[in-house]
Amino acid sequence: MLKIGILGGGQLGRMLLQAAANYPVITHVMESDPECPAAHLCHQFTRGDIRNFEDVYQFGKGLDGISIEIESVNVEALEKLESEGIRVYPSPSALRIIRDKILQKQFYKEHDIPTSPFYVTQNRDELRKHDGFLPAVHKMGSGGYDGRGVQILSHAGELHKGFDAPSILERKVNIHKEISQIIAMNRKGETAIFPAAEMIFDPVHNQLDYQLSPAEIPQQSLWRIEAIALKVVKDLKTPGIFAVELFIDKNGDILVNETAPRVHNSGHHTIEANYCSQFDMLWRVMLDYPLGNPKQILPSAMVNLVGSEGQSGEACYEGLEDVLKLENAFLHLYGKKETRPGRKMGHVTILSTDKSDLVYKARTIKQKLRITSKQPV
Ligand code: ADP
């Protein structure tokens, strides 16, 4: 049986392992926290630092293939492993481009992939020269995730909030909708395109509030989104699974925001809502099996369950019964011992043919389910 390793043991790793249980594969996970969400579902857990060359190299050496659930991994070690014949999903060369927002934006520009115009700024002094480009969004080249490392600069008086590190300053998009397009590509270059999902953001935590799939957008826009996302994946020239995040602006123009070269939060609904989930699909890619059917069985909404404000410590789940009695609501808790404000602790997917039913249930779940700590601090 093939031995496949995953770098990182969070919820994405956990759901990958749940799907792996259906395939002939031996799973390995490396992560620094032995109590992480994926630790107890793999065949072999290795405690280690995914950013450390030696740890990643030693972990990968005996494996047939290796994948990631987070971009901040040691790419040099993955390059060495690749040169020794271990299959890496996504390829280290694609990962190098994507994990640095500067290289990623330059990649879009070089490949004629529509994205909002931008400048590269090395430090805050350089940023100040672009006061005529505002309103804009300043994004750190590396090190940011889930909204950290992203700063909206509306006018010159806010330039001091920008990053004093290599970053991109990109024109602020007048966003109509945020869309995620998930595409898998196998080693033969065959692709499976999931229906696009629409994301609604929570302005307080700057992370996904709830998500609807399929996205409610005109067919013309859907085709354009598919074509653009497909070009991103083909030009990255690597097998794997990709979530291409795009904006539709108020003029109806479509711009790529960023790409994740891995399974993604915006694809959790595919576990119940699609014939083949994003997790199942990645195993098919890594194990060289035929791609699955990405089509949707029923429309869905997905709600992230995040730790309540002002609550840190051992997690308590209030209102689980209210959620579990909803028809076609599917609960996923990630098994994280400790909650913190805004921490992703689980998600719920709802299926329904009726859009208002989806939105009503998404709101109900957000209202009824609270993740608190036993000892509020
Ligand atoms: P992260 O990698 O931390 O998720 P993103 O680049 O996706 O960061 O940005 C986070 C959010 O900030 C986006 O989902 C979007 O709502 C907003 N945003 C990012 N870029 C722009 C932009 N150019 N114009 C307007 N809003 C933006």
Side-chain angles (χ1 to χ4, degrees), residues 255-268:
L255 301 162
V256 171
N257 175 28
E258 61 176 0
T259 300
R262 52 167 170 79
V263 285
H264 193 253
N265 190 278
S266 63
H268 291 350

Side-chain angles (χ1 to χ4, degrees), residues 14-68:
R14 179 181 176 96
M15 288 182 270
L16 268 171
L17 294 166
Q18 287 171 335
N22 296 322
Y23 287 103
V25 58
I26 305 287
T27 54
H28 294 238
V29 166
M30 187 167 79
E31 153 80 45
S32 55
D33 174 10
E35 293 301 319
C36 67
H40 308 295
L41 275 74
C42 57
H43 293 99
Q44 181 72 46
F45 179 79
T46 306
R47 195 172 183 172
D49 180 356
I50 57 175
R51 286 160 304 185
N52 177 279
F53 179 93
E54 216 34 50
D55 284 5
V56 173
Y57 179 67
Q58 291 304 331
F59 173 72
K61 229 170 44 167
L63 302 175
D64 299 292
I66 189 162
S67 192
I68 57 164

Side-chain angles (χ1 to χ4, degrees), residues 34 38 73 89 140 156 174 271:
V73 297
Y89 305 90
M140 246 168 16
N174 226 339
I271 296 173

Side-chain angles (χ1 to χ4, degrees), residues 211-270:
Q211 175 259 57
L212 290 174
S213 185
E216 286 199 307
I217 46 180
Q219 188 62 49
Q220 292 281 70
S221 308
L222 283 175
W223 282 329
R224 177 123 178 88
I225 284 167
E226 280 188 16
I228 293 170
L230 199 55
K231 180 159 168 56
V232 171
V233 173
K234 295 254 174 192
D235 289 351
L236 282 170
K237 294 194 178 79
T238 168
I241 194 156
F242 305 85
V244 182
E245 294 179 52
L246 310 102
F247 299 128
I248 306 180
D249 73 9
K250 299 251 159 85
N251 297 323
D253 289 335
I254 290 156
L255 301 162
V256 171
N257 175 28
E258 61 176 0
T259 300
R262 52 167 170 79
V263 285
H264 193 253
N265 190 278
S266 63
H268 291 350
H269 65 288
T270 59

Side-chain angles (χ1 to χ4, degrees), residues 8-281:
Q11 62 267 19
L12 296 171
R14 179 181 176 96
M15 288 182 270
L16 268 171
L17 294 166
Q18 287 171 335
N22 296 322
Y23 287 103
V25 58
I26 305 287
T27 54
H28 294 238
V29 166
M30 187 167 79
E31 153 80 45
S32 55
D33 174 10
E35 293 301 319
C36 67
H40 308 295
L41 275 74
C42 57
H43 293 99
Q44 181 72 46
F45 179 79
T46 306
R47 195 172 183 172
D49 180 356
I50 57 175
R51 286 160 304 185
N52 177 279
F53 179 93
E54 216 34 50
D55 284 5
V56 173
Y57 179 67
Q58 291 304 331
F59 173 72
K61 229 170 44 167
L63 302 175
D64 299 292
I66 189 162
S67 192
I68 57 164
E69 60 130 48
I70 185 165
E71 285 86 337
S72 55
V73 297
N74 191 288
V75 180
E76 292 74 19
L78 291 177
E79 277 164 348
K80 188 165 163 61
L81 290 166
E82 187 184 46
S83 73
E84 292 172 7
I86 288 129
R87 290 180 186 163
V88 185
Y89 305 90
S91 73
S93 56
L95 193 53
R96 257 190 202 285
I97 297 168
I98 285 178
R99 69 170 184 168
D100 182 333
K101 288 196 176 185
I102 301 174
L103 296 179
Q104 196 183 139
K105 282 290 274 192
Q106 287 169 339
F107 167 84
Y108 299 140
K109 199 171 162 188
E110 281 159 20
H111 289 81
D112 287 326
I113 290 159
T115 190
S116 70
F118 66 100
Y119 288 103
V120 175
T121 61
Q122 295 300 333
N123 50 48
R124 208 172 279 136
D125 282 343
E126 259 188 56
L127 170 64
R128 287 186 208 284
K129 293 181 198 152
H130 299 293
D131 56 349
F133 193 64
L134 307 182
V137 183
H138 205 215
K139 300 183 180 181
M140 246 168 16
S142 50
Y145 65 96
D146 273 354
R148 276 158 277 196
V150 173
Q151 182 66 53
I152 294 176
L153 304 174
S154 301
H155 52 81
E158 289 187 341
L159 283 172
H160 67 277
K161 291 190 195 162
F163 304 107
D164 199 16
S167 302
I168 51 160
L169 181 69
E170 74 176 34
R171 170 133 317 134
K172 186 160 182 271
V173 177
N174 226 339
I175 300 175
H176 170 52
K177 286 195 171 177
E178 295 200 32
I179 304 292
S180 170
Q181 175 64 68
I182 297 181
I183 298 184
M185 185 161 85
N186 66 15
R187 293 199 309 125
K188 288 189 237 163
E190 294 165 338
T191 52
I193 305 176
F194 287 82
E198 182 176 328
M199 293 172 287
I200 289 110
F201 275 81
D202 169 357
V204 178
H205 298 111
N206 200 13
Q207 67 179 16
L208 191 66
D209 188 8
Y210 67 93
Q211 175 259 57
L212 290 174
S213 185
E216 286 199 307
I217 46 180
Q219 188 62 49
Q220 292 281 70
S221 308
L222 283 175
W223 282 329
R224 177 123 178 88
I225 284 167
E226 280 188 16
I228 293 170
L230 199 55
K231 180 159 168 56
V232 171
V233 173
K234 295 254 174 192
D235 289 351
L236 282 170
K237 294 194 178 79
T238 168
I241 194 156
F242 305 85
V244 182
E245 294 179 52
L246 310 102
F247 299 128
I248 306 180
D249 73 9
K250 299 251 159 85
N251 297 323
D253 289 335
I254 290 156
L255 301 162
V256 171
N257 175 28
E258 61 176 0
T259 300
R262 52 167 170 79
V263 285
H264 193 253
N265 190 278
S266 63
H268 291 350
H269 65 288
T270 59
I271 296 173
E272 288 92 7
N274 297 58
Y275 291 98
C276 179
S277 76
Q278 60 168 348
F279 304 101
D280 189 323
M281 195 70 86

Side-chain angles (χ1 to χ4, degrees), residues 176-177 179 196-200 210-218 296 298-303 327-328 349-365:
H176 170 52
K177 286 195 171 177
I179 304 292
E198 182 176 328
M199 293 172 287
I200 289 110
Y210 67 93
Q211 175 259 57
L212 290 174
S213 185
E216 286 199 307
I217 46 180
Q296 198 143 347
L298 277 180
S300 63
M302 191 278 293
V303 178
E327 193 185 10
N328 288 343
T349 297
I350 313 136
L351 303 185
S352 177
T353 46
D354 178 359
K355 161 88 187 288
S356 56
D357 187 36
L358 289 177
V359 176
Y360 168 75
K361 283 179 177 155
R363 299 245 159 89
T364 305
I365 291 161

